[in-house]
Amino acid sequence: MSNGQQQPKAQPPAGGQWYPPEWPDRIRALSDGSLVPVEPKRAATVMLLRDTPAGPVVHMLRRRASMAFAGGAYAYPGGGVDPRDEEHQVGWAGPSQDEWAHRLGTDARTAQAIVCGAVRETFEEAGVLLAGETPDSVVGDTTGDDWEADRQALVARELSFAEFLDRRGLRLRSDLLGAWARWITPEFEPRRYDTWFFVAALPEGQRTRNASTEADRTVWIRPADAADGYDKGELLMMPPTISTLRSLEPYGSAAEALAAAGAQDLAPVLARAALENGELVLSWPGHDEFTKRVRHGGPS
C-alpha cells in the first residue's frame, strides 16, 4: 500500500472474490422461475489514477463491513445516476453529449446523466472535481468549507449537479474522462446496477480524501499490487473491480491509460446462472476466472 496504513485483515486463501452466502438460493430461485429480476439502475464509477515513480496508482476505497451490498470489498468512487442530470442544461466542455451517446451506446440525455454521475460521484466520494471555469482549466484545491458544504448538498440531493456547476461558474470537463468498461449486476441480485466504468487522471492541485460515509478506508495502490492482494485473498473485490484492475496493469502512466480508453470494449458484461448436471454454474462471459460452481449449498 502506498499510504502506510495497516494492511487489511486477510480473507480466506481461496482468493478475494466477493461471494455472498445467499447467492446459491437466489440462483436456484432464478433457475426455477420463482425469482423475477429487478430492473438495474444506471450507475457510474471512476478509476482515478495518478503517476508515481513506480508507475500509476489507482484510488480505491473499502466499503464498510456493515454495508448491505459488497461490505468489506474494495471498489472505486461511484454510485447511482441522478435522473435530474438528464433534464438540466449542464455546463460542458470536451466531447459533446452526442459523441458520448455514440461511445456509451445510449441517447444523448442518458449519456449526459451517466457522465455527470461519474464526475459528481468522484467529487462526492473522493473530493476530486473534474470541472473548470474554462474548457481547458480545472479547479484547484477543493477542501475548503464552502466546497464541503456544496459536496454535502450534492450527497443529500438538495442540489443538482447542474445547479452546482452553474452556481460556481464551472464546466464539466468530459474530455478528462475515458469510458473503460460496462458491467451489469447479475439478474438474481436484489440490488442491480448497470454500471459504466471510467478512467481519469487526478488533476494537478487536487487531492483525494475519504469523503464517503460508505467507506472505512482509502488507498492509492498500483493495479498490479491490488490484483496480487486479491489473488492472495488479502483484498476482497467484486468481479468488475478486479477485472478492470487487471486491464490497467499494462499502462505506464495515467495519460497512457486515458489515451487507451477509446479502444476499450463497452459491451455489457452480465453474469449467467445455469443448472448443469445438478450443479449451479455462475459465469461472466469472457471472464472465466470468476466462474463458480455451486453444490451442496456452497460455492466451489
Side-chain angles (χ1 to χ4, degrees):
M1 300 290 178
S2 60
N3 64 351
Q5 292 179 318
Q6 184 177 0
Q7 290 279 354
K9 187 176 181 180
Q11 301 294 327
Q17 184 178 346
W18 180 69
Y19 192 92
E22 67 272 14
W23 270 14
D25 288 340
R26 297 191 65 85
I27 294 171
R28 290 187 181 94
L30 180 68
S31 298
D32 66 24
S34 60
L35 186 153
V36 178
V38 299
E39 190 70 19
K41 298 179 179 178
R42 293 194 302 271
T45 190
V46 176
M47 300 179 287
L48 194 62
L49 301 170
R50 67 174 174 86
D51 292 325
T52 74
V57 290
V58 62
H59 179 71
M60 304 188 76
L61 52 85
R62 185 176 65 186
R63 294 173 60 82
R64 294 186 184 278
S66 59
M67 296 297 294
F69 183 79
Y74 280 76
Y76 314 112
V81 169
D82 186 346
R84 293 178 296 179
D85 290 334
E86 289 187 18
E87 304 162 3
H88 296 167
Q89 184 175 357
V90 177
W92 196 273
S96 69
Q97 288 89 334
D98 286 335
E99 291 174 282
W100 275 106
H102 179 73
R103 176 68 177 127
L104 301 179
T106 67
D107 58 75
R109 289 178 57 185
T110 300
Q112 174 177 290
I114 293 167
V115 173
C116 282
V119 175
R120 175 180 47 75
E121 286 287 339
T122 304
F123 181 53
E124 288 182 10
E125 297 201 335
V128 171
L129 183 59
L130 304 176
E133 294 182 356
T134 65
D136 57 358
S137 68
V138 186
V139 297
D141 184 15
T142 62
T143 59
D145 291 342
D146 57 333
W147 287 105
E148 177 60 17
D150 281 348
R151 192 193 67 81
Q152 292 280 8
L154 286 168
V155 170
R157 298 298 183 263
E158 297 166 354
L159 183 67
S160 76
F161 194 58
E163 291 168 338
F164 162 70
L165 293 175
D166 185 60
R167 188 162 73 183
R168 287 189 169 269
L170 298 175
R171 303 181 186 192
L172 180 153
R173 287 286 306 275
S174 79
D175 56 314
L176 299 182
L177 284 171
W180 197 265
R182 181 184 178 187
W183 288 67
I184 302 176
T185 309
E187 291 181 331
F188 49 81
E189 267 290 333
R191 297 176 180 84
R192 299 189 65 212
Y193 300 94
D194 184 352
T195 305
W196 280 263
F197 287 72
F198 295 85
V199 66
L202 178 69
E204 186 176 351
Q206 294 192 40
R207 60 183 187 270
T208 58
R209 57 195 175 93
N210 184 7
S212 173
T213 59
E214 299 179 354
D216 60 10
R217 74 189 296 255
T218 62
V219 296
W220 282 101
I221 186 170
R222 291 196 316 136
D225 291 339
D228 184 59
Y230 169 90
D231 290 336
K232 292 178 178 177
E234 297 171 350
L235 300 182
L236 194 64
M237 298 179 203
M238 293 180 286
T241 308
I242 181 59
S243 174
T244 49
L245 272 172
R246 294 199 201 283
S247 70
L248 288 173
E249 289 185 38
Y251 301 101
S253 68
E256 280 185 22
L258 191 59
Q264 302 302 311
D265 185 3
L266 294 189
V269 180
L270 173 64
R272 294 175 180 168
L275 189 61
E276 299 178 3
N277 301 320
E279 284 186 325
L280 289 168
V281 181
L282 175 61
S283 61
W284 280 260
H287 301 270
D288 292 343
E289 74 166 297
F290 304 129
T291 298
K292 293 288 183 181
R293 295 182 177 272
V294 182
R295 61 179 182 271
H296 307 305
S300 64

